[in-house]
Structures are given as structure tokens and as C-alpha cells.
Amino acid sequence: RPSLKSFTHPCRGDRRTRKIKALSRTRPGKTSDKRTADEEDYHFPARSKLWKDTGFQGYEPPKVRTYQPKKKPPKGELTAAEKATNQAISRKRVRIEHSIGGAKVFHIARDVFRNRRDEYVDLSFETACGLHNLRCDYRLSAGA
């Protein structure tokens, strides 16, 4: 199953258009988000903003400003300022998560894919993302 990660490059969800702009390749078994990002060696334009979830703890690409919620320390609490920052980050990230959900409305993208040809797994998910992006284009042009 393709790894539709919720940080803005492997699945670069554009917050303004709700489009999915990039996917990572399929990974066998359980592979952490950070390991996938490290192995894929993503390149970002200078001064990009990267809205990460907690699965990317420690992933810091060069010349990119990253935003990630702070985890609660063991046997501790977050300060009011840290909670406010986490909420602000979540308000931005929820749009990215909605883009991912938009692609997963198609059953082929969310159900177990039983086709035996490996290349079809990525192709089916790319198709679902393409249909999601087409729907986003239609929404944009219909509102004009």
C-alpha cells in the first residue's frame, strides 16, 4: 500500500487547493515515517514550510522551516503556550489530513489491494489521488 504520509512532501497536500502533489513509494511491512523520508531523500524548495506529524520526530531537511506538535513529556504536562502552539499547528495540518481522506473515499485506495502485480499498488493509489485532484479542480472552477 502506498505510504500516503501526512507530512507535506511524501503526500504534499496543498492547503489552498486541497490537492495531493506527491506520494512516496510503496514500502513493505512496517516502516516508520522518518525512515521512509530519510531513504527517499526528498528535496524541498528553499524557505518551504513543512507541517509534520509526530511520526517524523527528528526529520529536519535543510533550508526548510518545520512545524511539528510538541509531545507531552513523560509524567509531565505541556505549558499553556505549548498547547496553543500545538493547536495552531493542528489547524493547519487538518487540511492536509482532509486531502488524504479525499483520496481514500475510493475503495481501491483504502481497502486491501489483492492484485498480485506490485506496480499496480502504486498505480491504483496514484489514480485515486488523481481523481481527488480532478474533483478539487472541478470545485475550484465551479465556484468561479
Side-chain angles (χ1 to χ4, degrees):
R1 166 147 301 331
S3 180
L4 186 60
K5 301 301 181 192
S6 53
F7 97 121
T8 22
H9 192 55
C11 159
R12 188 185 315 185
D14 188 325
R15 292 185 334 240
R16 291 177 300 275
T17 64
R18 298 184 180 123
K19 286 185 174 185
I20 295 171
K21 294 185 175 180
L23 295 170
S24 66
R25 292 182 316 213
T26 303
R27 298 292 178 147
K30 294 181 181 181
T31 308
S32 73
D33 295 344
K34 183 185 179 305
R35 177 176 289 171
T36 299
D38 287 338
E39 290 173 1
E40 291 283 331
D41 191 33
Y42 296 114
H43 297 283
F44 300 91
R47 298 187 317 268
S48 294
K49 293 180 181 177
L50 183 62
W51 301 90
K52 306 183 296 183
D53 64 12
T54 53
F56 292 93
Q57 193 77 35
Y59 179 68
E60 296 294 329
K63 299 179 185 174
V64 174
R65 186 163 191 181
T66 61
Y67 301 92
Q68 181 175 16
K70 184 169 171 94
K71 291 182 181 180
K72 185 181 83 121
K75 298 181 183 179
E77 293 296 322
L78 294 174
T79 65
E82 291 169 334
K83 287 181 183 180
T85 301
N86 282 356
Q87 286 177 340
I89 292 170
S90 294
R91 277 195 285 286
K92 298 280 187 180
R93 281 198 34 76
V94 72
R95 296 175 188 163
I96 297 165
E97 295 296 337
H98 286 169
S99 294
I100 294 168
K104 289 185 177 181
V105 299
F106 302 102
H107 285 273
I108 197 165
R110 71 169 181 242
D111 293 344
V112 175
F113 191 75
R114 299 188 187 278
N115 194 311
R116 296 186 188 272
R117 300 184 101 174
D118 290 335
E119 66 272 8
Y120 285 169
V121 176
D122 288 335
L123 183 62
S124 66
F125 207 83
E126 288 171 12
T127 303
C129 290
L131 289 170
H132 166 75
N133 289 347
L134 180 67
R135 188 174 48 214
C136 291
D137 281 341
Y138 180 73
R139 281 187 196 137
L140 289 174
S141 65

